[in-house]
Amino acid sequence: MGDLSRPQLAVYAAAALAIVLIGARYLRESRPAESAAGGSSVPVRVDSAGGGWAVVQVAGEVRRPGVYRLRSSERVDDAVRMAGGATSRADLSGVNLAAKVEDGRQVIVPRRGQAGASAATAAAVTGPGAGGPAGAPLNLNTATAEQLDQLDGVGPATARKIIAYRQQHGGFRSVSELDQVPGIGPKRMAALKDHLRT
């Protein structure tokens, strides 16, 4: 093969650069997104062919709590692994890791030795109805933001603060711990305590 002219070399170099850029973009988009700031998380994209999708929130004693997208055929164990796995303080004994994930559900991994852990782990995959029968106290460790928002004196902003506190501390050990959430003063605490449990 003869020597290549400068215009030919320029065309080949441009083509090689385009291939490298396309490959880098493909790898970046297909790789699970990593958290930019420690402790916060971003949705993770799982690429696989066929099947439906489920979006679940993983909270409690996991390394990267957050919202994750999985195939609907995947298990709670897959969701926990996507969230970085359980921490050394986690109690997985009551979490049904074999359960299939369901869209819109929350997976809570409680802290080992946490008071009320059995209540949290018994309903480790939660969604609408997690508070139990109508009129029953709402479980602080499994309630969704929508369920908390239904309580008197709790709006969307306070519901988000309660969930954020629960994620940061691995759940509530008792209802009285609710007063640690910003915006929950003694008056609101007195109105809520009979409607909540852990």
Side-chain angles (χ1 to χ4, degrees):
M1 186 161 123
D3 290 337
L4 297 174
S5 67
R6 280 193 181 174
Q8 287 174 317
L9 284 174
V11 168
Y12 288 136
L17 181 60
I19 290 169
V20 168
L21 291 174
I22 290 169
R25 182 177 178 188
Y26 173 78
L27 288 174
R28 185 179 69 239
E29 289 179 356
S30 64
R31 184 178 301 145
E34 289 295 328
S35 170
S40 65
S41 61
V42 293
V44 173
R45 188 168 121 184
V46 181
D47 292 324
S48 35
W53 295 95
V55 177
V56 298
Q57 180 186 16
V58 185
E61 290 298 326
V62 290
R63 290 183 176 85
R64 292 188 307 272
V67 177
Y68 294 92
R69 186 172 183 236
L70 302 92
R71 285 192 58 202
S72 56
S73 61
E74 292 188 273
R75 308 289 173 163
V76 169
D77 182 55
D78 297 313
V80 171
R81 281 193 277 122
M82 286 183 82
T87 68
S88 59
R89 298 178 299 188
D91 179 8
L92 291 172
S93 63
V95 178
N96 185 358
L97 296 172
K100 280 190 178 181
V101 295
E102 292 181 48
D103 188 51
R105 301 291 178 150
Q106 185 179 53
V107 176
I108 298 178
V109 178
R111 183 179 297 170
R112 192 176 338 108
Q114 172 183 331
S118 59
T121 56
V125 179
T126 64
L138 194 62
N139 190 323
L140 269 175
N141 289 314
T142 60
T144 64
E146 291 79 15
Q147 290 172 317
L148 291 166
D149 187 20
Q150 303 281 322
L151 295 169
D152 287 335
V154 176
T158 304
R160 284 193 298 272
K161 289 177 187 176
I162 291 171
I163 297 223
Y165 180 92
R166 182 172 75 195
Q167 290 173 353
Q168 290 169 358
H169 296 87
F172 288 89
R173 289 178 292 282
S174 69
V175 174
S176 62
E177 192 177 342
L178 187 62
D179 67 3
Q180 299 298 311
V181 176
I184 305 281
K187 194 171 184 178
R188 189 173 292 178
M189 182 72 189
L192 290 173
K193 67 180 180 180
D194 294 333
H195 303 286
L196 296 167
R197 65 182 176 88
T198 56

